[in-house]
């Protein structure tokens, strides 16, 4: 691997050295790590596994701060020694920081008129990466970050990807770390809604994250005994939702719990967006929970309340499952670097951690399979999916 990676660096020998920020060691492979997009519980565990796996091979690791800002902006790079990653496996967030406005191919610049626009700074990034003497990049991120990783690899950068997102929507891996923690958080929150819903005989509507995939809503909704679960994958009929609530009323169950994925939409309707895409970012979804609550209240006459669980789903200590998956991903990513398996992503295909070409997964969202036993379980339990 070393000769291959060094070849790449020497190929870039002509690049400017004035961006050089990290003292270059005479020997040893130098691995850069970047965390991009929304944070997810388990990121720190991945970083720790990479750093320790590298250290045990006599290699060096460096963290690029806040996505790629450490190479393209002023955020800098941090040397990641075993000391720096001690005691972080159980911590949420990322010690490197992250941003969802850090795409080097769509870098946001502000003009003299204050207006923001996007420019392609991928060549600058590649030059800064080479000037820093890095041999490989391990890019930890969701679909957007993996697309960037793939595009950088196409331009010659030796990149290995690690999939991350609470949404669990990355193809090529049965699970992403962060998902299990988000589901646990959501399940606990829905559990807590039951007593207040029952005491007040109300309908409680809770909107959960997940973008265009309903994994968090489906898994936590079933686990927490929701009465209705609305997913982006199944456009709903509000009358069917109300019928479920009316049927519960008739059966003497005077409260109901409705779980709505933020990307859910009515039949013939559109996904709701609370904020249109600004330069360098994506649309922010939201608002469907309160819309569903209002419609239920109007149609059934039931007192209805709604809440948005929001970013609490991204926080907290990763569950045991997420910690282990994250540690396995980090170690497997380092082994992929050692094998020179660039352009590949690690993925979970139980019981193995596998390697998949990043090109095979980017731009292909992993949606909930409507024939899966999880969906069938929801239906068998009498949960309405609004269809
Ligand atoms: O992709 C993870 C996620 O938490 C989505 O579920 C959610 O739609 C989005 O990020 C929120 O992003 P932001 O942190 O920009 O509000």
């Amino acid at each position: 691997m070393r000769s291959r990676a060094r070849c790449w660096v020497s190929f870039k020998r002509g690049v400017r050295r004035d961006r050089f920020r990290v003292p270059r060691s005479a020997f040893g492979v130098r691995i850069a790590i970047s965390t991009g997009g929304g944070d997810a519980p388990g990121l720190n565990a991945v970083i720790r596994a990479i750093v320790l796996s590298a250290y045990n091979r006599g290699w060096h690791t460096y963290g690029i701060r806040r996505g790629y800002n450490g190479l393209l902006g002023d955020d800098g790079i941090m040397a990641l020694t075993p000391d720096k990653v001690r005691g972080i496996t159980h911590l949420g967030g990322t010690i490197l920081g992250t941003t969802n406005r850090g795409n080097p191919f769509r870098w946001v610049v502000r003009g003299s008129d204050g207006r923001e626009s996007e420019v392609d700074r991928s060549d600058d990034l590649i030059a800064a990466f080479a000037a820093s003497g890095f041999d490989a990049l391990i890019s930890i991120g969701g679909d957007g970050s993996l697309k960037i990783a793939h595009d950088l690899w196409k331009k010659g950068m030796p990149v290995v990807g690690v999939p991350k997102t609470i949404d669990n929507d990355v193809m090529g891996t049965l699970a992403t770390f962060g998902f299990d923690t988000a589901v646990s958080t959501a399940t606990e929150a829905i559990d807590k809604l039951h007593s207040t819903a029952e005491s007040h005989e109300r309908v409680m509507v809770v909107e959960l994250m997940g973008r265009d995939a309903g994994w968090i809503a489906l898994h936590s909704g079933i686990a927490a005994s929701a009465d209705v679960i609305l997913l982006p994958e199944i456009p709903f009929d509000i009358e069917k939702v109300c019928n479920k609530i009316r049927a519960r009323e008739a059966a003497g169950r005077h409260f109901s719990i409705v779980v709505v994925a933020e990307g859910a939409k009515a039949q013939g309707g559109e996904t709701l967006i609370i904020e249109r895409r600004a330069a360098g970012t994506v649309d922010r979804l939201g608002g469907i929970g309160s819309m569903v609550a209002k419609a239920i209240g109007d149609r059934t006459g039931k007192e209805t309340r709604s809440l948005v669980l929001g970013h609490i789903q991204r926080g907290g200590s990763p569950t045991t499952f997420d910690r282990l998956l994250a540690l396995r991903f980090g170690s497997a990513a380092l082994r992929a670097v050692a094998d020179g398996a660039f352009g590949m992503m690690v993925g979970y295909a139980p019981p193995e951690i596998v390697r998949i070409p990043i090109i095979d997964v980017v731009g292909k969202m992993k949606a909930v399979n409507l024939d899966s036993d999880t969906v069938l379980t929801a239906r068998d339990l009498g949960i309405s999916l609004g269809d």
Side-chain angles (χ1 to χ4, degrees):
M1 172 267 157
R2 198 164 141 193
S3 56
R4 185 185 317 207
R6 285 293 174 200
C7 276
W8 186 85
V9 172
S10 55
F11 169 69
K12 296 284 171 192
R13 203 174 276 148
V15 299
R16 288 169 46 178
R17 296 272 164 190
D18 54 354
R19 298 196 67 86
F20 180 79
R21 290 160 194 266
V22 181
R24 186 186 274 269
S25 60
F27 302 104
V29 175
R30 296 157 64 90
I31 313 288
I33 305 171
S34 123
T35 53
D39 65 340
L43 277 169
N44 284 326
V46 179
I47 294 168
R48 178 165 170 267
I50 296 169
V51 170
L52 295 184
S53 307
Y55 180 80
N56 288 326
R57 287 170 170 80
W59 296 0
H60 307 280
T61 37
Y62 297 87
I64 305 172
R65 290 188 200 266
R66 292 217 319 134
Y68 295 109
N69 281 16
L71 285 173
L72 289 176
D74 298 325
D75 291 63
I77 290 164
M78 66 195 273
L80 292 171
T81 55
D83 268 5
K84 291 272 172 41
V85 296
R86 187 164 293 144
I88 66 168
T89 298
H90 67 292
L91 299 181
T94 159
I95 58 168
L96 299 180
T98 186
T99 173
N100 47 18
R101 303 189 81 191
N103 185 342
F105 293 89
R106 284 172 40 193
W107 193 256
V108 179
V109 288
R110 192 180 285 272
S112 50
D113 58 356
R115 302 251 306 253
E116 290 186 332
S117 59
E118 296 172 0
V119 294
D120 182 352
R121 293 199 58 199
S122 56
D123 288 339
D124 291 344
L125 178 72
I126 288 171
F129 179 87
S132 296
F134 293 135
D135 297 297
L137 169 71
I138 298 180
S139 167
I140 315 168
D143 185 63
S145 303
L146 291 169
K147 166 91 171 65
I148 296 166
H150 174 70
D151 291 343
L152 290 172
W153 176 70
K154 273 199 313 198
K155 293 187 88 162
M157 194 187 269
V159 181
V160 167
V162 175
K164 162 247 56 166
T165 171
I166 65 163
D167 302 339
N168 195 37
D169 59 354
V170 176
M171 288 289 274
T173 182
L174 186 71
T176 45
F177 62 86
F179 170 62
D180 188 61
T181 309
V183 168
S184 297
T185 301
T187 301
E188 196 183 330
I190 302 165
D191 281 349
K192 287 181 176 167
L193 290 177
H194 276 269
S195 53
T196 178
E198 186 159 16
S199 303
H200 286 265
E201 300 193 344
R202 284 172 173 160
V203 177
M204 296 298 302
V205 180
V206 56
E207 180 182 304
L208 300 180
M209 282 186 166
R211 293 201 67 81
D212 297 310
W215 295 103
I216 299 175
L218 180 65
H219 284 222
S220 60
I222 294 175
S225 305
D227 304 297
V228 178
I229 303 174
L230 303 180
L231 308 175
E233 292 85 351
I234 307 178
F236 63 87
D237 175 348
I238 191 68
E239 204 41 38
K240 299 254 173 70
V241 173
C242 292
N243 284 344
K244 172 71 184 177
I245 291 160
R246 291 184 191 113
R248 281 177 57 78
E249 279 296 309
R253 308 293 284 152
H254 300 297
F255 73 98
S256 292
I257 304 287
V258 179
V259 171
V260 185
E262 63 183 1
K265 51 185 175 294
Q267 287 172 8
E270 299 278 308
T271 307
L272 291 195
I273 290 163
I274 41 171
E275 194 181 329
R276 281 276 162 207
R277 189 184 162 276
T281 65
V282 293
D283 289 339
R284 283 181 60 213
L285 306 188
I288 189 68
S290 61
M291 204 173 117
V292 165
K294 169 98 176 56
I296 292 172
D298 290 349
R299 286 167 186 252
T300 65
K302 287 288 297 175
E303 199 177 2
T304 305
R305 296 284 187 272
S306 71
L307 71 150
V308 178
L309 201 57
H311 291 78
I312 201 163
Q313 292 160 94
R314 293 228 303 253
S317 185
T319 59
T320 307
F321 179 87
D322 279 342
R323 289 180 204 189
L324 185 59
L325 184 62
L327 292 167
R328 291 177 72 190
F329 273 0
S331 156
L334 204 278
R335 278 180 266 128
V337 169
D339 292 345
F342 299 118
M344 306 292 274
M345 173 192 98
V346 296
Y348 181 49
E352 306 297 336
I353 301 295
V354 294
R355 293 174 190 165
I356 311 121
I358 300 176
I359 186 62
D360 290 354
V361 309
V362 289
K364 300 176 190 163
M365 190 192 78
K366 183 181 73 184
V368 169
N369 173 2
L370 301 187
D371 300 323
S372 66
D373 87 282
T374 317
V375 170
L376 298 180
T377 300
R379 294 193 190 281
D380 284 342
L381 290 170
I383 297 171
S384 166
L385 300 180
D387 57 345

